Amino acid sequence: MQDAPYLGQALAQRVGEFIQIRRAIHARPELAFEEHETAALVAHKLRGWGYAVTTGVGRTGVVGTLRRGNGRRALGIRADMDALPVPEATGRAWASQRPGLMHACGHDGHTATLLAAARLIAEDVDFSGVLHLIFQPAEEGAGGALAMMADCLFERFPCDAVYALHNMPGIEAGRFCFRTGPAMASSDNVTITLKGRGGHGAFPHQACDSVVAASSIVMALQTVVARNVDPLKTAVVTVGALHAGQANNVIPEEARLELSIRALDEDVRQLVKARILALVDLQARSYGVEAVVDWRDGYAVLVNTAQETALAVDVATGLFGPARVDAQGPMFTASEDFSFMLQKVPGCYLFVGNGAPGTPGGCHVHNPGYDFNDDIIAPAAAFWSRLTAAYLQDA
């Protein structure tokens, strides 16, 4: 197993290459299942370092496999590749060249970091077993993890454990944060369509007002978390859109609400769903309108397993010292489709600080001013290489 100074020296000689790769990917962002250029770049680099490469997994996913020795264990490390439909406002020299698209979540950095680790592992890390590097498409709401799993990811590339990381603005750059158990929320999407009877604004008694019903439902929904969920547990009910009408003197026949529902516990998730369905039905009937609810299950609660998380904490602590590691950090109500991989294989999803508030790396994700902090490529790649050596050591 390499020592920390050796890893640092090896990375220092190469990290510039991966900063340039990151910025090249950033300049050419691709949406879910359109990551053809990024996937081709990843495949080309992996082949050059001696990995067996499989492309087209889950449509645009790539898996690089490295086998050494007689070890029986197999490790998977995943990075996401897709961008977002967000116009960039960073002004960087490497800013998006594709109007309306940008890497606003740092997946360009995740991909470049795993490529940096891939080269370091191939050239400098001894292990015995199988390493699968999983470059996933379509994390941003399109369920690329499920697409890869439907394409028999873990049957074709069996893993005994699987890991992934995400940069986290608001946390000191290079700080590693872990959490055993539930770490990220489920995310469900709901459309509520209210159908009343339209009419003239001067004669409301001759109509069934969908707008009034929608307004009442918006307010009533606030009681689901406040009065139905255990105060020591977490759930979020957000009404992100209300669409109804076009004129001030017309009572519209229809109103539509768009909701985002999140929970950090599957039982709470189901409780919130049951309460919303009942509340919407009763509220709508009380106003004389019909309610149609389209409930779309999204990502599952992300749950890190204890043994795999403990190993990752030990690796990070050995590399960077306890002052730069949070062994049991906070939960987040954002969501991740890596949760589906963790339902199939034990593992851990961790965070690496992108920059404290007020620093260039502190701008939060999904913001037009966000950019991945290139300074965290080296420590994160060192972590992946040391984790590989630790998990696939001779036994």
Side-chain angles (χ1 to χ4, degrees), residues 13-164:
Q13 296 170 356
R14 305 168 185 168
V15 73
E17 172 190 358
F18 297 99
I19 291 174
Q20 294 308 310
I21 287 173
R22 199 284 292 183
R23 294 178 179 181
I25 295 171
H26 188 95
R28 305 282 292 173
E30 298 170 296
L31 295 178
F33 297 120
E34 297 176 4
E35 308 93 341
H36 302 291
E37 289 182 21
T38 307
L41 171 64
V42 166
H44 173 72
K45 291 295 184 181
L46 292 175
R47 289 192 183 103
W49 300 322
Y51 288 79
V53 175
T54 305
T55 59
V57 184
R59 295 169 60 178
T60 47
V62 179
V63 179
T65 299
L66 194 61
R67 301 173 184 273
R68 285 185 177 156
N70 299 315
R72 297 183 178 181
R73 295 217 288 184
L75 172 66
I77 305 176
R78 172 271 213 176
D80 36 19
M81 301 187 293
D82 56 322
L84 283 159
V86 174
E88 182 157 359
T90 64
R92 304 284 195 186
W94 52 89
S96 172
Q97 299 171 4
R98 292 176 168 159
L101 306 182
M102 74 170 287
H103 271 289
C105 207
H107 297 183
D108 52 339
H110 303 163
T111 296
T113 296
L114 191 53
L115 285 174
R119 181 177 177 185
L120 182 64
I121 292 165
E123 296 181 356
D124 293 297
V125 177
D126 293 325
F127 66 87
S128 183
V130 182
L131 173 66
H132 297 300
L133 302 183
I134 302 165
F135 292 84
Q136 180 202 304
E139 187 280 325
E140 294 289 357
L146 288 175
M148 294 191 83
M149 291 167 67
D151 204 5
C152 301
L153 172 67
F154 292 123
E155 289 76 22
R156 297 161 67 186
F157 310 98
C159 296
D160 296 298
V162 65
Y163 289 83

Side-chain angles (χ1 to χ4, degrees), residues 336-359:
E336 241 291 344
D337 71 348
F338 188 69
S339 58
F340 296 118
M341 292 190 181
L342 290 176
Q343 288 180 334
K344 183 87 171 180
V345 178
C348 176
Y349 189 82
L350 60 126
F351 297 93
V352 181
N354 199 61
T359 69

Side-chain angles (χ1 to χ4, degrees), residues 319-390:
L319 273 173
F320 308 113
R324 289 180 59 188
V325 176
D326 292 325
Q328 189 68 351
M331 296 182 284
F332 294 100
T333 50
S335 303
E336 241 291 344
D337 71 348
F338 188 69
S339 58
F340 296 118
M341 292 190 181
L342 290 176
Q343 288 180 334
K344 183 87 171 180
V345 178
C348 176
Y349 189 82
L350 60 126
F351 297 93
V352 181
N354 199 61
T359 69
C363 178
H364 220 286
V365 296
H366 293 216
N367 184 300
Y370 166 84
D371 193 23
F372 183 86
N373 187 343
D374 291 324
D375 289 343
I376 70 175
I377 291 176
F383 170 79
W384 283 144
S385 63
R386 172 63 71 84
L387 180 73
T388 299

Side-chain angles (χ1 to χ4, degrees), residues 192 194 217 274-293:
I192 301 169
L194 301 169
I217 288 172
R275 288 301 303 134
I276 289 175
L277 293 175
L279 184 151
V280 169
D281 175 63
L282 293 170
Q283 286 276 323
R285 283 197 281 154
S286 74
Y287 286 94
V289 303
E290 177 190 358
V292 177
V293 180

Side-chain angles (χ1 to χ4, degrees), residues 310-323:
L311 173 63
V313 170
D314 287 346
V315 167
T317 302
L319 273 173
F320 308 113

